[in-house]
Amino acid sequence: MLPIHAAVVVAGGGAAGFMAAICAAEAGLGDIALLEATNEPLHKVLISGGGRCNVTHACWDPRALVGHYPRGGQALRGPFSRFAPGDAVAWFADHGLELVEEPDGRLFPRSNRSESVAATLRRAALQAGVQLHTGVSLQRAAVAAGGGFDLLVRGGGAIKADRLVLATGSHPSGRQLAAGLGHGLVAPVPSLFTLALAGDPLLELAGVVMDPVELALHLPQEPQAARAGQPFRQRGPVLITHWGLSGPATLRLTAFAARALKASGYRGELRLDWSGGLSQQDLEGLFAEAKRDQAKRQLANWRPWPALSRRLWLALLQRHGLDPQQRWADLAKRHQQLLVSALRDTRLAITGRGPFGEEFVTAGGIPLGEVNLATMESRQQPGLYLVGELLDVDGVTGGFNFQHCWSSGWLAGQALAA
């Protein structure tokens, strides 16, 4: 049964909403109603990380941490100084969930199952006395004449709330509710998506991973973007797929270039340095060693360096009309220069976003200037709190988006209880 009155209503049963409700309840506040529009709370937690849930990242210094957020940046220094990844690790440990760090810094539950994270949050909410209502979506919110908020939920139910937390993620309903309560909106665009390369022969190499690769994105709006301080360069692992490019470096690149890519219609040129930044002199040295030490070997059977994918190497030979059966000793200087150039500067035409962009995150939302980031309370409407992906904050892949949810939820919970 829905309550007629609640001290706090939290709209949105995702990571940020659960954290806000739990922390407020554990700090002594009672009468908290958590509303989730679907019948499956914490859905993003359950599906993230391939079902493993990358809870946060081992980036302990807030000054370094903010560099992983294309939107939010230095404004997040304060919130992260109060609740950073180390605090998230300790919070989950206190609630019975151990997180384990992987070599790349990502932190997962020891069970390697996202259900462990969701179960921990559900259990903590239940033990703290939070009342969870699923299949209940908030349709309208208005400031009540005597203070607080008059809320209308789907189906006509009404709730009077003393305070309201919007934790609706990127769903348009949350933006509409915030706008109705006096907030502006930074127009949302996709972030953290793969890139499509329609018709490129490189697509025949689906499944190939190279690490590290240096990516440089060139767009029609690049002069404007450059003036805004966006170089659109990244370095790291790249995965070739059946439709284009994915992998951490690609996702990070598209996150920082999200708005410029939108403005260009997701068209442009991508330049790849497969060597990971080796100079032309370095590569020429590797070729000289191969010609000297592997003179009788065929090009197909010896690559300039061991980590270079054999499939990619053969594709580059084919692209430049070289016979893979040719001996290294017979490789002409001009052909060597062609291969060195290809390894350092392969140019690909971007034809759009990959097919799974909608599964990642959104850039845009409520402007941070309209929120007191020490408490997550609205500057436009007292008693209203905004947390999680509803805000104009988005991080790159690696647990950073969840960290913002934990931090903003924790801050809102503490402020509500205080």
Side-chain angles (χ1 to χ4, degrees):
M1 295 288 292
L2 281 173
I4 298 174
H5 172 271
V8 174
V9 168
V10 180
F18 261 81
M19 182 62 91
I22 293 167
C23 290
E26 290 184 338
L29 185 63
D31 196 18
I32 300 173
L34 176 57
L35 312 183
E36 166 54 35
T38 72
N39 291 318
E40 185 181 37
L42 299 166
H43 177 67
K44 271 195 174 181
V45 168
L46 290 167
I47 67 171
S48 69
R52 298 172 62 210
C53 188
N54 182 184
V55 176
T56 185
H57 201 97
C59 185
W60 314 118
D61 186 345
R63 293 171 296 180
L65 184 61
V66 297
H68 298 279
Y69 294 83
R71 264 68 50 182
Q74 294 304 311
L76 295 173
R77 279 276 298 273
F80 287 150
S81 294
R82 295 189 62 196
F83 195 88
D87 301 297
V89 172
W91 189 92
F92 278 101
D94 288 343
H95 291 80
L97 184 73
E98 182 184 1
L99 301 181
V100 178
E101 181 181 347
E102 296 202 339
D104 60 3
R106 294 179 300 164
L107 286 155
F108 291 89
R110 179 168 289 282
S111 67
N112 253 342
R113 296 176 61 248
S114 57
E115 173 57 35
S116 299
V117 183
T120 298
L121 292 166
R122 289 194 299 264
R123 183 173 59 250
L126 179 65
Q127 291 175 348
V130 175
Q131 298 299 311
L132 174 63
H133 302 274
T134 59
V136 177
S137 62
L138 183 58
Q139 299 291 294
R140 191 176 67 193
V143 179
F149 300 88
D150 290 325
L151 309 179
L152 184 67
V153 302
R154 182 189 299 161
I159 306 174
K160 174 67 181 293
D162 297 338
R163 285 173 289 178
L164 173 63
V165 180
L166 292 181
T168 50
S170 59
H171 197 277
S173 64
R175 302 185 197 118
Q176 294 167 3
L177 290 166
L181 293 169
H183 278 281
L185 176 68
V186 177
V189 299
S191 180
L192 275 181
F193 50 86
T194 59
L195 293 171
L197 309 170
D200 195 285
L202 195 71
L203 302 183
E204 298 176 4
L205 305 180
V208 166
V209 176
M210 281 292 295
D211 181 22
V213 177
E214 291 196 353
L215 302 175
L217 180 63
H218 296 264
L219 301 172
Q221 286 78 21
E222 189 176 22
Q224 299 174 354
R227 286 198 296 272
Q230 293 287 352
F232 303 139
R233 295 179 181 273
Q234 290 296 330
R235 183 176 189 270
V238 167
L239 166 66
I240 302 173
T241 71
H242 292 291
W243 63 87
L245 293 183
S246 185
T250 306
L251 296 176
R252 187 177 176 95
L253 181 75
T254 59
F256 279 93
R259 294 201 173 277
L261 278 163
K262 172 71 172 179
S264 71
Y266 302 102
R267 297 292 189 275
E269 182 182 68
L270 189 64
R271 300 179 183 178
L272 297 92
D273 180 351
W274 300 108
S275 76
L278 294 177
S279 68
Q280 180 162 332
Q281 184 177 359
D282 291 335
L283 284 175
E284 288 176 350
L286 291 173
F287 273 76
E289 289 178 12
K291 291 181 72 172
R292 181 187 68 239
D293 300 336
Q294 311 297 330
K296 295 182 180 181
R297 286 199 179 212
Q298 297 175 351
L299 294 178
N301 295 331
W302 187 262
R303 304 180 296 285
W305 68 94
L308 174 60
S309 162
R310 184 173 186 273
R311 291 175 64 196
L312 175 61
W313 173 241
L314 292 175
L316 293 176
L317 293 176
Q318 182 179 8
R319 178 173 286 199
H320 294 284
L322 294 176
D323 181 3
Q325 309 305 316
Q326 179 181 339
R327 297 189 313 158
W328 268 96
D330 300 328
L331 181 64
K333 185 70 173 178
R334 62 187 180 88
H335 290 153
Q336 175 179 314
Q337 292 305 317
L338 281 175
L339 291 171
V340 168
S341 296
L343 289 166
R344 295 188 68 238
D345 189 19
T346 294
R347 302 189 179 193
L348 305 172
I350 299 168
T351 60
R353 287 172 22 196
F356 305 117
E358 70 279 1
E359 293 186 11
F360 294 104
V361 299
T362 300
I366 307 305
L368 294 185
E370 297 181 0
V371 180
N372 179 350
L373 296 181
T375 62
M376 308 314 297
E377 186 174 12
S378 165
R379 296 185 187 276
Q380 314 296 102
Q381 179 56 57
L384 173 66
Y385 296 76
L386 305 115
V387 297
E389 199 180 341
L390 175 63
L391 298 169
D392 184 25
V393 173
D394 61 289
V396 299
T397 184
F400 298 102
N401 286 294
F402 274 135
Q403 180 57 48
H404 170 246
C405 290
W406 312 134
S407 295
S408 59
W410 185 88
L411 287 167
Q414 299 302 308
L416 286 163

